[in-house]
mmCIF file of all heavy atoms in Angstrom:
data_model
loop_
_atom_site.group_PDB
_atom_site.id
_atom_site.type_symbol
_atom_site.label_atom_id
_atom_site.label_comp_id
_atom_site.label_asym_id
_atom_site.label_seq_id
_atom_site.Cartn_x
_atom_site.Cartn_y
_atom_site.Cartn_z
ATOM 1 N N THR A 12 42.412 -78.847 159.895
ATOM 2 C CA THR A 12 42.254 -77.451 160.250
ATOM 3 C C THR A 12 41.131 -76.860 159.407
ATOM 4 O O THR A 12 40.757 -77.413 158.380
ATOM 5 C CB THR A 12 43.550 -76.656 159.995
ATOM 6 O OG1 THR A 12 43.881 -76.741 158.614
ATOM 7 C CG2 THR A 12 44.685 -77.198 160.829
ATOM 8 N N LYS A 13 40.599 -75.747 159.858
ATOM 9 C CA LYS A 13 39.516 -75.090 159.149
ATOM 10 C C LYS A 13 40.000 -73.756 158.593
ATOM 11 O O LYS A 13 40.669 -72.992 159.270
ATOM 12 C CB LYS A 13 38.324 -74.863 160.074
ATOM 13 C CG LYS A 13 37.649 -76.165 160.501
ATOM 14 C CD LYS A 13 36.450 -75.900 161.376
ATOM 15 C CE LYS A 13 35.749 -77.196 161.756
ATOM 16 N NZ LYS A 13 34.579 -76.955 162.622
ATOM 17 N N VAL A 14 39.644 -73.528 157.340
ATOM 18 C CA VAL A 14 40.036 -72.299 156.669
ATOM 19 C C VAL A 14 38.775 -71.580 156.244
ATOM 20 O O VAL A 14 37.899 -72.165 155.615
ATOM 21 C CB VAL A 14 40.917 -72.586 155.437
ATOM 22 C CG1 VAL A 14 41.299 -71.284 154.750
ATOM 23 C CG2 VAL A 14 42.151 -73.367 155.847
ATOM 24 N N ARG A 15 38.673 -70.311 156.583
ATOM 25 C CA ARG A 15 37.461 -69.558 156.289
ATOM 26 C C ARG A 15 37.693 -68.550 155.174
ATOM 27 O O ARG A 15 38.716 -67.877 155.143
ATOM 28 C CB ARG A 15 36.969 -68.831 157.540
ATOM 29 C CG ARG A 15 35.575 -68.265 157.349
ATOM 30 C CD ARG A 15 35.009 -67.725 158.645
ATOM 31 N NE ARG A 15 33.614 -67.367 158.468
ATOM 32 C CZ ARG A 15 33.071 -66.235 158.877
ATOM 33 N NH1 ARG A 15 33.814 -65.342 159.485
ATOM 34 N NH2 ARG A 15 31.799 -65.994 158.689
ATOM 35 N N LEU A 16 36.717 -68.471 154.256
ATOM 36 C CA LEU A 16 36.712 -67.423 153.251
ATOM 37 C C LEU A 16 35.681 -66.389 153.678
ATOM 38 O O LEU A 16 34.477 -66.635 153.556
ATOM 39 C CB LEU A 16 36.345 -67.989 151.877
ATOM 40 C CG LEU A 16 37.393 -68.863 151.198
ATOM 41 C CD1 LEU A 16 36.872 -69.349 149.854
ATOM 42 C CD2 LEU A 16 38.688 -68.100 151.006
ATOM 43 N N PRO A 17 36.110 -65.256 154.198
ATOM 44 C CA PRO A 17 35.161 -64.261 154.698
ATOM 45 C C PRO A 17 34.225 -63.760 153.604
ATOM 46 O O PRO A 17 34.639 -63.491 152.480
ATOM 47 C CB PRO A 17 36.065 -63.133 155.224
ATOM 48 C CG PRO A 17 37.404 -63.773 155.427
ATOM 49 C CD PRO A 17 37.505 -64.838 154.383
ATOM 50 N N ASN A 18 32.954 -63.678 153.936
ATOM 51 C CA ASN A 18 31.941 -63.084 153.056
ATOM 52 C C ASN A 18 31.790 -63.812 151.724
ATOM 53 O O ASN A 18 31.457 -63.199 150.703
ATOM 54 C CB ASN A 18 32.266 -61.606 152.794
ATOM 55 C CG ASN A 18 32.385 -60.799 154.074
ATOM 56 O OD1 ASN A 18 31.571 -60.944 154.979
ATOM 57 N ND2 ASN A 18 33.419 -59.980 154.158
ATOM 58 N N VAL A 19 32.063 -65.104 151.722
ATOM 59 C CA VAL A 19 31.910 -65.911 150.513
ATOM 60 C C VAL A 19 30.937 -67.047 150.795
ATOM 61 O O VAL A 19 31.097 -67.779 151.767
ATOM 62 C CB VAL A 19 33.263 -66.492 150.046
ATOM 63 C CG1 VAL A 19 33.059 -67.418 148.848
ATOM 64 C CG2 VAL A 19 34.230 -65.379 149.697
ATOM 65 N N SER A 20 29.929 -67.181 149.939
ATOM 66 C CA SER A 20 28.988 -68.292 150.029
ATOM 67 C C SER A 20 29.202 -69.206 148.833
ATOM 68 O O SER A 20 29.286 -68.736 147.691
ATOM 69 C CB SER A 20 27.540 -67.788 150.044
ATOM 70 O OG SER A 20 27.291 -67.014 151.198
ATOM 71 N N ILE A 21 29.291 -70.506 149.085
ATOM 72 C CA ILE A 21 29.610 -71.479 148.048
ATOM 73 C C ILE A 21 28.345 -72.182 147.573
ATOM 74 O O ILE A 21 27.523 -72.618 148.365
ATOM 75 C CB ILE A 21 30.624 -72.514 148.571
ATOM 76 C CG1 ILE A 21 31.935 -71.815 148.974
ATOM 77 C CG2 ILE A 21 30.887 -73.594 147.531
ATOM 78 C CD1 ILE A 21 32.605 -71.057 147.859
ATOM 79 N N ARG A 22 28.206 -72.311 146.238
ATOM 80 C CA ARG A 22 27.038 -72.991 145.677
ATOM 81 C C ARG A 22 27.384 -74.296 144.976
ATOM 82 O O ARG A 22 26.501 -75.087 144.667
ATOM 83 C CB ARG A 22 26.312 -72.067 144.701
ATOM 84 C CG ARG A 22 27.085 -71.686 143.440
ATOM 85 C CD ARG A 22 26.234 -70.816 142.527
ATOM 86 N NE ARG A 22 26.919 -70.332 141.358
ATOM 87 C CZ ARG A 22 26.996 -71.006 140.210
ATOM 88 N NH1 ARG A 22 26.448 -72.210 140.111
ATOM 89 N NH2 ARG A 22 27.617 -70.483 139.164
ATOM 90 N N HIS A 23 28.665 -74.542 144.707
ATOM 91 C CA HIS A 23 29.035 -75.785 144.034
ATOM 92 C C HIS A 23 30.469 -76.146 144.403
ATOM 93 O O HIS A 23 31.335 -75.269 144.513
ATOM 94 C CB HIS A 23 28.924 -75.639 142.518
ATOM 95 C CG HIS A 23 29.351 -76.865 141.760
ATOM 96 N ND1 HIS A 23 28.569 -77.990 141.654
ATOM 97 C CD2 HIS A 23 30.505 -77.140 141.087
ATOM 98 C CE1 HIS A 23 29.211 -78.908 140.941
ATOM 99 N NE2 HIS A 23 30.376 -78.415 140.592
ATOM 100 N N ILE A 24 30.731 -77.451 144.587
ATOM 101 C CA ILE A 24 32.086 -77.935 144.853
ATOM 102 C C ILE A 24 32.386 -79.115 143.936
ATOM 103 O O ILE A 24 31.482 -79.798 143.456
ATOM 104 C CB ILE A 24 32.278 -78.354 146.326
ATOM 105 C CG1 ILE A 24 31.242 -79.417 146.726
ATOM 106 C CG2 ILE A 24 32.223 -77.149 147.249
ATOM 107 C CD1 ILE A 24 31.449 -79.971 148.118
ATOM 108 N N SER A 25 33.679 -79.336 143.690
ATOM 109 C CA SER A 25 34.098 -80.445 142.837
ATOM 110 C C SER A 25 35.473 -80.906 143.292
ATOM 111 O O SER A 25 36.273 -80.108 143.797
ATOM 112 C CB SER A 25 34.135 -80.004 141.375
ATOM 113 O OG SER A 25 34.536 -81.066 140.527
ATOM 114 N N ALA A 26 35.762 -82.204 143.105
ATOM 115 C CA ALA A 26 37.046 -82.758 143.533
ATOM 116 C C ALA A 26 37.683 -83.554 142.411
ATOM 117 O O ALA A 26 37.006 -84.309 141.697
ATOM 118 C CB ALA A 26 36.862 -83.651 144.757
ATOM 119 N N GLY A 27 38.995 -83.375 142.238
ATOM 120 C CA GLY A 27 39.759 -84.156 141.283
ATOM 121 C C GLY A 27 40.598 -85.184 142.012
ATOM 122 O O GLY A 27 40.273 -85.595 143.131
ATOM 123 N N GLN A 28 41.704 -85.597 141.399
ATOM 124 C CA GLN A 28 42.538 -86.620 142.017
ATOM 125 C C GLN A 28 43.134 -86.121 143.333
ATOM 126 O O GLN A 28 43.021 -86.794 144.356
ATOM 127 C CB GLN A 28 43.666 -87.039 141.069
ATOM 128 C CG GLN A 28 44.536 -88.152 141.624
ATOM 129 C CD GLN A 28 45.764 -88.409 140.782
ATOM 130 O OE1 GLN A 28 46.166 -87.553 139.981
ATOM 131 N NE2 GLN A 28 46.376 -89.562 140.939
ATOM 132 N N HIS A 29 43.788 -84.958 143.294
ATOM 133 C CA HIS A 29 44.392 -84.403 144.502
ATOM 134 C C HIS A 29 44.130 -82.905 144.605
ATOM 135 O O HIS A 29 44.920 -82.173 145.208
ATOM 136 C CB HIS A 29 45.902 -84.652 144.519
ATOM 137 C CG HIS A 29 46.294 -86.094 144.544
ATOM 138 N ND1 HIS A 29 45.928 -86.952 145.558
ATOM 139 C CD2 HIS A 29 47.002 -86.839 143.649
ATOM 140 C CE1 HIS A 29 46.411 -88.160 145.312
ATOM 141 N NE2 HIS A 29 47.057 -88.122 144.163
ATOM 142 N N HIS A 30 43.061 -82.419 143.999
ATOM 143 C CA HIS A 30 42.760 -80.986 144.027
ATOM 144 C C HIS A 30 41.254 -80.791 144.074
ATOM 145 O O HIS A 30 40.475 -81.714 143.817
ATOM 146 C CB HIS A 30 43.360 -80.273 142.812
ATOM 147 C CG HIS A 30 42.754 -80.665 141.500
ATOM 148 N ND1 HIS A 30 42.836 -81.942 140.986
ATOM 149 C CD2 HIS A 30 42.049 -79.951 140.579
ATOM 150 C CE1 HIS A 30 42.219 -82.002 139.822
ATOM 151 N NE2 HIS A 30 41.725 -80.807 139.540
ATOM 152 N N SER A 31 40.862 -79.578 144.435
ATOM 153 C CA SER A 31 39.435 -79.275 144.603
ATOM 154 C C SER A 31 39.117 -77.910 144.023
ATOM 155 O O SER A 31 39.994 -77.076 143.808
ATOM 156 C CB SER A 31 39.055 -79.296 146.096
ATOM 157 O OG SER A 31 39.372 -80.534 146.696
ATOM 158 N N ALA A 32 37.822 -77.701 143.777
ATOM 159 C CA ALA A 32 37.345 -76.417 143.257
ATOM 160 C C ALA A 32 36.032 -76.073 143.933
ATOM 161 O O ALA A 32 35.255 -76.959 144.314
ATOM 162 C CB ALA A 32 37.168 -76.464 141.742
ATOM 163 N N ALA A 33 35.783 -74.778 144.098
ATOM 164 C CA ALA A 33 34.534 -74.304 144.683
ATOM 165 C C ALA A 33 34.079 -73.077 143.915
ATOM 166 O O ALA A 33 34.885 -72.224 143.543
ATOM 167 C CB ALA A 33 34.715 -73.973 146.164
ATOM 168 N N LEU A 34 32.777 -73.000 143.668
ATOM 169 C CA LEU A 34 32.195 -71.889 142.928
ATOM 170 C C LEU A 34 31.248 -71.138 143.850
ATOM 171 O O LEU A 34 30.363 -71.733 144.471
ATOM 172 C CB LEU A 34 31.446 -72.413 141.706
ATOM 173 C CG LEU A 34 30.998 -71.409 140.646
ATOM 174 C CD1 LEU A 34 32.182 -70.610 140.116
ATOM 175 C CD2 LEU A 34 30.291 -72.134 139.510
ATOM 176 N N SER A 35 31.436 -69.830 143.952
ATOM 177 C CA SER A 35 30.650 -69.033 144.885
ATOM 178 C C SER A 35 29.339 -68.580 144.254
ATOM 179 O O SER A 35 29.131 -68.673 143.041
ATOM 180 C CB SER A 35 31.443 -67.809 145.340
ATOM 181 O OG SER A 35 31.447 -66.810 144.327
ATOM 182 N N THR A 36 28.452 -68.070 145.085
ATOM 183 C CA THR A 36 27.182 -67.531 144.592
ATOM 184 C C THR A 36 27.390 -66.266 143.771
ATOM 185 O O THR A 36 26.479 -65.839 143.057
ATOM 186 C CB THR A 36 26.242 -67.232 145.771
ATOM 187 O OG1 THR A 36 26.918 -66.358 146.698
ATOM 188 C CG2 THR A 36 25.850 -68.507 146.491
ATOM 189 N N MET A 37 28.581 -65.682 143.849
ATOM 190 C CA MET A 37 28.933 -64.523 143.028
ATOM 191 C C MET A 37 29.636 -64.947 141.738
ATOM 192 O O MET A 37 30.169 -64.119 141.013
ATOM 193 C CB MET A 37 29.835 -63.577 143.821
ATOM 194 C CG MET A 37 29.164 -62.972 145.056
ATOM 195 S SD MET A 37 27.815 -61.858 144.626
ATOM 196 C CE MET A 37 28.734 -60.514 143.882
ATOM 197 N N ASP A 38 29.648 -66.254 141.461
ATOM 198 C CA ASP A 38 30.272 -66.820 140.259
ATOM 199 C C ASP A 38 31.777 -66.635 140.239
ATOM 200 O O ASP A 38 32.390 -66.488 139.180
ATOM 201 C CB ASP A 38 29.653 -66.231 138.984
ATOM 202 C CG ASP A 38 28.177 -66.570 138.842
ATOM 203 O OD1 ASP A 38 27.756 -67.593 139.412
ATOM 204 O OD2 ASP A 38 27.457 -65.816 138.174
ATOM 205 N N HIS A 39 32.394 -66.664 141.417
ATOM 206 C CA HIS A 39 33.846 -66.607 141.532
ATOM 207 C C HIS A 39 34.374 -68.024 141.762
ATOM 208 O O HIS A 39 33.805 -68.773 142.564
ATOM 209 C CB HIS A 39 34.267 -65.706 142.689
ATOM 210 C CG HIS A 39 33.823 -64.283 142.527
ATOM 211 N ND1 HIS A 39 33.722 -63.409 143.595
ATOM 212 C CD2 HIS A 39 33.455 -63.572 141.429
ATOM 213 C CE1 HIS A 39 33.296 -62.236 143.154
ATOM 214 N NE2 HIS A 39 33.133 -62.315 141.847
#
Side-chain angles (χ1 to χ4, degrees):
T12 60
K13 293 182 178 180
V14 179
R15 191 172 188 227
L16 289 180
N18 303 316
V19 176
S20 296
I21 299 301
R22 65 178 176 87
H23 177 77
I24 56 175
S25 180
Q28 183 189 19
H29 298 300
H30 67 296
S31 303
L34 192 57
S35 77
T36 55
M37 296 293 291
D38 297 335
H39 298 159

